[in-house]
Amino acid sequence: MITINNYVRAESLEQAYDLNQKKSNRVLGGMMWMRLGKGRVHTAIDLSGLGLDTIEENEEEFKIGCMCTLRSLELHEGLNTYFQDALKESVHHIVGVQFRNGATVGGSVFGRFGFSDVLTVLLSLNSYVELYKGGIVPLHEFVHMERDNDLLVRVIVKKDNRQVRYLTERATATDFPVIACAVSRVENEWKVSVGARPMKAMLVTEKAELTCAEDAEAFAKRVADAFTYGTNMRGSKEYRKHLAEILIRRAVKSLMEEC
Ligand SMILES: Cc1cc2nc3c(=O)[nH]c(=O)nc-3n(C[C@H](O)[C@H](O)[C@H](O)COP(=O)(O)OP(=O)(O)OC[C@H]3O[C@@H](n4cnc5c(N)ncnc54)[C@H](O)[C@@H]3O)c2cc1C
């Protein structure tokens, strides 16, 4: 259980950032993960009054506010039409609708969880995070940055005509994934993101001209070999690697059929 001494509904990002510099204070997302932890929070900083719960779309990009819920990703017509339902597919196994109405994109991405579907799918897209002090950083760099006291304000996803597929293997429908895999392509540039290894998602980018089933199989094997895997109660590292290769292959073949 966590105990919160004070609560502040921030009136500006500057105020939230200042408060967040104190180690014992914490920013709140949807609190779905945080509430399972232990400890005492001096001041909980709520960003819900700052208008950051919208998904904006223009010609070039989608801007997803940190307080958007996973449910809003799942239901957003523009995002899901543009990315062929990949975002919907990445979140719809997460617990249940009520849960997804609470958990936020900011908490999911800032947390950089080793099991994260959200991080896995976003990494396979041309995505950036907008940090209050740190500015705009490519998501694949943010994943490796040390956790600090900055605020994640938005996630930005570029419209670059990417085709994408998202696949996971789960022991039961709403459990954490045993492995998560997102593959995207623009012409012959491929991005493959594998998460729940059970480490946080990582990205491999390759230029490859894939024209037949044998090419797809060789590509999937080569890329699956490039990731490291671990063992936990959900599966061994050997099993995860085996699954990753299969899911990458299926996604690649499906994307090849698209062209
Ligand atoms: C039972 C359970 C099952 C789950 N299953 C899955 C699953 O299968 N797949 C999956 O991908 N995810 C899963 N999740 C994770 C979930 O989807 C969310 O990612 C998680 O709850 C964090 O989102 P939140 O809004 O609750 O963040 P919080 O719990 O509120 O915050 C998480 C962390 O991020 C920080 N934070 C939040 N917002 C910001 C911000 N804007 N800027 C800076 N720091 C911030 C907080 O201070 C905290 O440290 C599961 C979670 C639970 C509890």
Side-chain angles (χ1 to χ4, degrees):
M1 191 177 78
I2 62 165
T3 307
I4 296 175
N5 291 347
N6 306 299
Y7 163 86
V8 172
R9 191 164 194 246
E11 286 174 8
S12 67
L13 282 167
E14 188 63 30
Q15 184 197 13
Y17 178 83
D18 285 346
L19 286 168
N20 200 35
Q21 299 319 296
K22 194 169 171 189
K23 244 186 168 174
S24 53
N25 296 350
R26 292 281 289 278
V27 174
L28 307 179
M31 267 200 84
M32 308 305 266
W33 184 258
M34 204 195 297
R35 74 192 159 82
L36 302 180
K38 286 192 190 132
R40 188 172 285 275
V41 173
H42 183 265
T43 300
I45 311 156
D46 182 1
L47 306 180
S48 68
L50 302 176
L52 293 167
D53 58 349
T54 58
I55 301 177
E56 296 162 52
E57 178 179 2
N58 63 31
E59 297 271 287
E60 286 165 19
E61 60 200 15
F62 293 95
K63 286 186 174 180
I64 306 167
C66 63
M67 292 304 284
C68 281
T69 64
L70 301 188
R71 183 70 174 158
S72 60
L73 280 190
E74 184 177 1
L75 296 180
H76 194 270
E77 231 182 280
L79 265 176
N80 284 298
T81 305
Y82 198 86
F83 294 115
Q84 310 99 53
D85 284 339
L87 287 131
K88 185 181 189 174
E89 180 56 34
S90 74
V91 297
H92 92 265
H93 294 285
I94 302 177
V95 188
V97 170
Q98 278 176 310
F99 182 93
R100 299 196 293 277
N101 271 326
T104 62
V105 172
S108 299
V109 174
F110 197 86
R112 286 160 276 196
F113 302 111
F115 50 75
S116 181
D117 290 286
V118 182
L119 202 57
T120 306
V121 74
L122 287 172
L123 260 181
S124 75
L125 307 176
N126 192 358
S127 303
Y128 299 78
V129 290
E130 180 185 330
L131 303 170
Y132 182 62
K133 284 290 167 188
I136 295 177
V137 178
L139 183 61
H140 65 87
E141 285 178 20
F142 176 73
V143 166
H144 299 292
M145 279 165 54
E146 290 243 333
R147 207 183 156 110
D148 61 13
N149 294 341
D150 210 340
L151 302 175
L152 193 156
V153 182
R154 290 181 190 84
V155 172
I156 299 167
V157 187
K158 297 287 178 190
K159 287 181 165 177
D160 60 358
N161 294 318
R162 198 164 283 282
Q163 302 287 313
V164 54
R165 297 290 181 271
Y166 186 79
L167 299 168
T168 56
E169 179 66 26
R170 293 172 132 86
T172 59
T174 58
D175 194 9
F176 290 111
V178 178
I179 196 88
C181 171
V183 180
S184 75
R185 80 179 290 190
V186 182
E187 297 173 0
N188 67 351
E189 186 223 83
W190 296 81
K191 284 184 191 288
V192 180
S193 160
V194 180
R197 296 173 290 114
M199 298 153 239
K200 64 191 168 193
M202 267 185 56
L203 179 69
V204 167
T205 304
E206 243 197 58
K207 285 214 180 283
E209 199 72 56
L210 308 179
T211 53
C212 59
E214 288 74 28
D215 288 351
E217 278 153 29
F219 176 85
K221 182 165 180 9
R222 187 167 70 246
V223 174
D225 279 350
F227 294 96
T228 49
Y229 304 87
T231 298
N232 68 1
M233 61 183 281
R234 288 187 175 74
S236 66
K237 61 181 179 189
E238 292 80 10
Y239 180 49
R240 285 193 158 93
K241 186 172 173 193
H242 176 72
L243 289 175
E245 184 180 331
I246 293 170
L247 297 188
I248 296 168
R249 187 170 69 222
R250 284 184 189 162
V252 167
K253 283 187 172 171
S254 166
L255 289 168
M256 285 166 71
E257 280 164 16
E258 192 87 356
C259 292

